[in-house]
């Protein structure tokens, strides 16, 4: 049976992995909507290739280019923030939420409020909105399927079990490209070095988050909302091989782990086929060739981001949205060469110390905390120029 699909953030890394799987199973899927921010030509190419009904650019100034690139195709084009939300609200069987950053929040909420099934890669949206999003999922009868490899692993390890029997959930972290770097080396790390992840091929922002370990911090908060076992039962362990994607320990001390190649097509396939399974083009896991699986405690002296995230979710209120917004601004500044690598966490901590937002109770509240935290972050950045 053919199922309909929308991909928010189709031109990104998760979008490409999703479309790769769709291209191998064309008869199973009807692509309804594909979106991008401003990669109009790339979006038009994908929309033509996959026979989408609608293509949307978030940045309205790119709509003319999209229209031109789609001319004669019969594919509808739209642009702007509201158009993204309208597109996300179209009824489909599955929405893959793969926009990067809090920019993806409003469209994700539109898909949730329509009561749809959302395969969520866009972790920043859940980190920022937290209880607002989980309440909307419950109120509108929506379903969230976790795309993030760690959360997808946990989801698989929890299948058929009672969450009350869980003693501990452990998120694994590769440790990123700088795992063994000294403080002095970290201070001098460049954007090119930060985006060169040893195990995963990802977009620039998440690659930097992986290098600072903020990715694991955001995932810690994400896990707290998806799998509410209590913060004291959530942990992080560094596992450089990225073979075990996360683990669930039960009260009888039995631990279930999910293993697989470090390729996002595996967790994405799990969401596309859920609750069944589908074939992926990945090679089988070759454990003798991998040889060793190792584990380390995170070093929060060199990589303070997991501590900041833990403190933000413990503080609650608007702190997680503030952490996320400050991190987005700081990562963009690092990628633009405006601040040094280790300043990212310093900027985030500074913003968390200066700005204390009230608990957001609605999407508008979350967006307002996000906006204010960005202003604080921009002000803080001025005092952190370069290194
Ligand atoms: P990319 O940077 O590769 O792609 C981001 C996508 O979002 C692009 O389609 C981009 O469009 C679009 N986009 C960016 N900004 C906006 C905006 N303001 N409004 C609307 N659309 C926008 O990101 P990734 O695919 O790496 O990551 C996407 C999400 O998935 C992130 O939240 C990330 O944390 C998460 N994730 C990613 C993984 C990975 O392996 N990449 C693994 C697990 C989670 P355009 O091309 O026009 O800029």
């Amino acid at each position: 049976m053919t199922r309909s699909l929308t991909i928010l953030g189709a031109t990104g890394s998760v979008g490409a992995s999703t479309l790769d799987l769709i291209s191998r199973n064309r008869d199973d899927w009807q692509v309804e909507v594909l979106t991008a921010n401003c990669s109009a030509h790339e979006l038009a190419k994908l929309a033509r290739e996959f026979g989408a009904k609608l293509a949307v650019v978030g940045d309205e100034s790119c709509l003319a280019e999209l229209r031109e690139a789609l001319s004669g195709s019969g594919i509808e084009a739209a642009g702007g923030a509201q158009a993204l939300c309208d597109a996300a609200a179209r009824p489909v069987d599955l929405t893959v939420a793969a926009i990067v950053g809090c920019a993806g929040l409003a469209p994700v909420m539109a898909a949730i409020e329509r009561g749809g099934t959302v395969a969520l890669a866009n972790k920043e949206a859940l980190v920022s909105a937290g209880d607002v999003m989980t309440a909307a999922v419950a109120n509108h009868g929506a379903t969230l399927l976790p795309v993030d490899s760690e959360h997808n692993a946990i989801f698989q390890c929890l299948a058929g079990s009672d969450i009350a029997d869980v003693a501990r959930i452990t998120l694994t972290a590769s440790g990123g490209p700088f795992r063994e770097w000294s403080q002095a080396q970290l201070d001098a790390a460049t954007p090119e070095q930060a985006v060169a992840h040893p195990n995963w091929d990802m977009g620039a922002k998440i690659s930097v988050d992986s290098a600072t370990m903020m990715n694991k911090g955001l995932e810690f908060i994400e896990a707290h909302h998806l799998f509410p076992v209590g913060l004291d039962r959530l942990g992080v362990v560094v596992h450089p091989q990225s073979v075990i994607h996360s683990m669930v320990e039960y009260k009888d001390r039995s631990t279930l782990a999910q293993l697989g190649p470090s390729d996002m097509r595996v967790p994405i396939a799990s969401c596309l086929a859920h609750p069944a399974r589908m074939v992926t083009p990945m090679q089988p896991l070759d454990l003798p060739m991998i040889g060793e699986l190792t584990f380390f405690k995170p070093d929060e002296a060199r990589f303070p981001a997991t501590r900041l995230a833990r403190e933000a979710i413990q503080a609650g209120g608007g702190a997680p949205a503030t952490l996320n917004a400050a991190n987005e601004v700081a990562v963009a500044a690092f990628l633009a060469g405006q601040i040094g690598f280790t300043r990212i966490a310093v900027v985030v901590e500074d913003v968390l110390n200066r700005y204390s937002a009230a608990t957001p109770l609605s999407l508008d509240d979350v967006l307002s905390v996000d906006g204010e935290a960005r202003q604080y972050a921009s002000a803080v950045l001025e005092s952190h120029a370069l290194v």
Side-chain angles (χ1 to χ4, degrees):
M1 201 181 71
T2 306
R3 295 169 70 209
S4 55
L5 174 81
T6 284
I7 306 178
L8 307 171
T11 50
S13 159
V14 170
S17 294
T18 307
L19 286 169
D20 178 79
L21 292 169
I22 299 299
S23 73
R24 297 166 195 272
N25 300 275
R26 289 296 278 267
D27 293 343
D28 296 345
W29 296 95
Q30 163 62 51
V31 176
E32 180 79 16
V33 182
L34 297 178
T35 82
N37 188 34
C38 198
S39 304
H41 268 279
E42 175 62 13
L43 179 64
K45 187 168 149 272
L46 294 172
R48 284 176 186 270
E49 186 183 339
F50 287 89
K53 294 185 185 156
L54 168 67
V56 185
V57 278
D59 184 339
E60 207 165 352
S61 70
C62 307
L63 178 56
E65 192 186 338
L66 177 65
R67 283 215 169 101
E68 197 186 317
L70 284 175
S71 69
S73 68
I75 300 167
E76 215 184 317
Q82 187 55 48
L84 273 183
C85 292
D86 294 345
R90 284 196 177 198
V92 280
D93 294 312
L94 183 68
T95 302
V96 176
I99 290 175
V100 62
C102 195
L105 173 58
V108 169
M109 289 294 281
I112 289 172
E113 284 167 6
R114 192 246 305 146
T117 300
V118 178
L120 184 75
N122 181 200
K123 64 191 84 182
E124 297 91 346
L126 180 55
V127 167
S128 302
D131 295 341
V132 170
M133 186 184 289
T134 52
V137 168
N139 292 340
H140 297 277
T143 303
L144 281 188
L145 298 174
V147 170
D148 226 341
S149 59
E150 295 75 2
H151 305 74
N152 189 270
I154 296 162
F155 186 67
Q156 294 193 43
C157 293
L158 284 172
S161 297
D162 186 343
I163 202 157
D165 289 336
V166 172
R168 191 163 185 78
I169 290 178
T170 303
L171 296 160
T172 53
S174 69
F178 304 151
R179 185 174 61 86
E180 295 183 309
W181 285 31
S182 68
Q183 190 64 48
Q185 286 175 303
L186 291 176
D187 287 338
T190 66
E192 293 70 29
Q193 292 167 323
V195 297
H197 196 282
N199 305 344
W200 299 91
D201 181 12
M202 310 182 284
K205 193 263 177 181
I206 184 176
S207 297
V208 176
D209 284 346
S210 211
T212 59
M213 293 283 285
M214 183 57 89
N215 185 45
K216 216 46 56 180
L218 298 176
E219 288 178 4
F220 183 86
I221 299 174
E222 185 184 8
H224 167 71
H225 292 296
L226 290 174
F227 315 112
V229 293
L231 289 172
D232 55 334
R233 291 178 187 216
L234 277 180
V236 173
V237 67
V238 175
H239 165 49
Q241 296 82 13
S242 296
V243 170
I244 295 180
H245 297 299
S246 279
M247 296 170 252
V248 176
E249 181 184 53
Y250 288 91
K251 64 186 180 188
D252 59 2
R253 299 298 172 216
S254 179
T255 296
L256 300 193
Q258 186 264 348
L259 287 71
S262 38
D263 188 305
M264 284 305 293
R265 286 176 292 181
V266 177
I268 293 168
S270 145
C271 294
L272 290 178
H274 180 78
R277 297 275 179 178
M278 65 187 274
V279 173
T280 70
M282 315 319 304
Q283 291 300 307
L285 204 58
D286 186 343
L287 287 175
M289 204 177 93
I290 293 163
E292 260 193 344
L293 300 182
T294 54
F295 305 93
F296 306 91
K297 267 186 157 178
D299 177 351
E300 292 190 339
R302 279 181 309 140
F303 301 101
T306 47
R307 170 182 61 78
L308 295 175
R310 202 172 50 248
E311 288 171 0
I313 189 65
Q314 279 163 350
T322 301
L323 168 103
N324 179 69
N327 182 58
E328 286 193 31
V329 172
V331 170
F334 167 67
L335 285 170
Q338 289 159 6
I339 58 168
F341 178 75
T342 46
R343 294 285 106 186
I344 297 173
V346 176
V347 170
V348 173
E349 187 154 24
D350 248 27
V351 175
L352 283 165
N353 288 338
R354 287 180 198 208
Y355 176 51
S356 167
T359 303
L361 300 174
S362 65
L363 172 60
D364 284 349
D365 288 354
V366 179
L367 295 176
S368 132
V369 173
D370 177 76
E372 283 192 36
R374 279 167 200 271
Q375 284 176 16
Y376 275 88
S378 300
V380 165
L381 269 180
E382 310 217 333
S383 52
H384 287 278
L386 281 173
V387 281

